[in-house]
Amino acid sequence: MKPKLSLVLSLSCLALGALALPGAVSAADPVKIGFLVKQAEEPWFQDEWRYAEQAAKEKGFTLVKIGVPNGEKMMSAIDSLAAQKAQGFIICAPDVKLGAAVERLARRHKLKVMSVDDRLVDGAGKPIASIPHMGISGHEIGRQVGIGLAEEMKARGWNMAEVGALRVAYDRLPTARERAQGAVEALKEAGFPAANVVDAPQTRTDTGSAFDAAGVALARQARFKRWVAFGLNDEAVLGAVRAAEARGVKADDMIGIGIGGSKTALNEFVKPAPTGFHGTVQISPKRHGYETALMMHQWITANQAPPALTLTSGALRTRKNQAEPQARAGD
Ligand code: GLA
């Protein structure tokens, strides 16, 4: 008996669809996407989640947000996503060296994975090219910080030979290292003496840890009366600024420029009197949250993988220009 024409047609349509979209979910599967971040309490990551939620609402998928402060929590979060029948996840891991483990686990559970903010590396410390990534160019954004610091020192008429540069350091994280190196490079190009760069290694990437690290460094280098400060993010620089305040360094004698531009940083600009937190290079939690979520959705539903590497840009935002559209471009 010949099968009905309509049945043949619909079967071949299905076959074609399957051919065109290998690995794509069928229309009946509800899309579920995980968004795992290393430091859920940090405003930057809260913002990323908020924008990812926006994408979820627009596209009608479920977003599963999980804080993963350590490797163990990260592994069990990935297992739990698989158990919940998620199809993929976006991750900023607590340690980039867990990259190979992330990839292995994702593959085992048939989960698609892309990273955000901190690029995952393999055992040899090389970026894992097979995991799509969206982040900033640490070096370029760091240079913007350094240029901003040099310009403000010039505007205040400082003699750079007498200024200390506080490098709040978290060197185990490649993007942190690159950001700080970019800042130092730009400072040196502007004529800042390399010998005046003072390291303040932090043990975590929050404000408290930066405050402690900066306090020690400032006490050791009391010969400097004026300071500039930079580091991985706004928290690093806010910690340095608060430590300088605690030691009696006046706002006029301190120029800190962070990276991020979330609420806590911007709050410094609306305080009645300026603080040592001079500026922040505003980067885009919207691109990192909303766009990564859309990319993952597209990958799952249309089997279109995200570009291997997307680097987003930033702009210096200060008390003076903070309301201008150019400084807010990354909002
Ligand atoms: C790292 C930092 C965060 C934030 C992001 C931006 O993950 O820890 O504070 O700066 O990069 O990409």
Side-chain angles (χ1 to χ4, degrees):
M1 203 174 75
K2 269 174 129 191
K4 274 202 188 123
L5 184 60
S6 64
L7 182 64
V8 172
L9 271 178
S10 56
L11 279 178
S12 51
C13 281
L14 271 178
L16 266 179
L19 265 184
L21 308 171
V25 297
S26 87
D29 292 331
V31 176
K32 201 176 255 191
I33 295 174
F35 205 120
L36 278 42
V37 302
K38 62 179 180 181
Q39 216 148 3
E41 68 286 358
E42 189 183 310
W44 168 263
F45 295 109
Q46 293 281 331
D47 287 345
E48 264 182 1
W49 271 353
R50 193 160 41 80
Y51 285 118
E53 282 286 7
Q54 191 182 321
K57 265 200 205 101
E58 275 175 33
K59 293 287 176 188
F61 63 84
T62 304
L63 186 77
V64 185
K65 299 176 291 189
I66 312 177
V68 290
N70 57 50
E72 213 176 302
K73 293 232 164 72
M74 183 194 79
M75 305 298 240
S76 66
I78 298 172
D79 286 339
S80 131
L81 284 175
Q84 294 177 56
K85 297 205 170 7
Q87 296 91 355
F89 64 99
I90 297 144
I91 185 166
C92 178
D95 181 346
V96 290
K97 293 203 189 78
L98 292 166
V102 170
E103 193 171 41
R104 218 177 307 120
L105 205 50
R107 201 168 283 158
R108 187 185 314 149
H109 288 312
K110 297 199 168 52
L111 287 163
K112 297 182 167 31
V113 55
M114 91 172 276
S115 55
V116 70
D117 299 317
D118 300 351
R119 198 169 187 198
L120 294 164
V121 299
D122 62 18
K126 265 201 9 241
I128 302 180
S130 49
I131 301 181
H133 177 72
M134 182 187 284
I136 61 174
S137 161
H139 182 251
E140 279 313 307
I141 300 287
R143 282 188 60 85
Q144 283 175 270
V145 171
I147 290 167
L149 292 171
E151 278 176 357
E152 186 58 21
M153 278 191 273
K154 209 164 139 206
R156 295 188 192 185
W158 288 9
N159 173 5
M160 289 197 270
E162 294 169 359
V163 179
L166 202 53
R167 181 177 91 99
V168 180
Y170 193 71
D171 286 343
R172 51 186 300 209
L173 179 62
T175 187
R177 217 165 43 228
E178 287 160 18
R179 294 175 199 189
Q181 271 166 359
V184 171
E185 183 185 282
L187 280 171
K188 282 204 260 180
E189 280 171 18
F192 192 87
N196 292 12
V197 178
V198 175
D199 274 1
Q202 53 180 170
T203 50
R204 297 181 315 275
T205 59
D206 55 12
T207 306
S209 184
F211 177 87
D212 295 342
V216 173
L218 289 168
R220 284 214 185 115
Q221 302 287 342
R223 66 195 164 107
F224 294 118
K225 304 292 174 237
R226 288 179 161 157
W227 286 94
V228 297
F230 55 91
L232 164 69
N233 52 18
D234 288 332
E235 284 70 21
V237 174
L238 280 169
V241 167
R242 295 288 102 89
E245 285 166 356
R247 291 189 54 80
V249 178
K250 297 211 178 60
D252 284 350
D253 293 328
M254 177 79 190
I255 306 169
I257 298 185
I259 294 171
S262 307
K263 246 193 337 243
T264 31
L266 300 182
N267 190 35
E268 292 292 301
F269 304 150
V270 295
K271 290 183 174 172
T275 72
F277 192 87
H278 171 72
T280 177
V281 176
Q282 173 78 58
I283 52 176
S284 175
K286 174 154 191 191
R287 294 203 61 193
H288 291 218
Y290 178 80
E291 265 182 49
T292 52
L294 284 189
M295 282 174 173
M296 181 53 74
H297 180 260
Q298 183 75 358
W299 197 3
I300 291 167
T301 58
N303 208 34
Q304 212 175 82
L309 181 62
T310 309
L311 296 179
T312 62
S313 57
L316 181 63
R317 188 162 177 172
T318 62
R319 183 175 273 263
K320 277 196 206 118
N321 78 352
Q322 63 141 335
E324 291 166 18
Q326 185 209 351
R328 304 181 51 138
D331 271 12

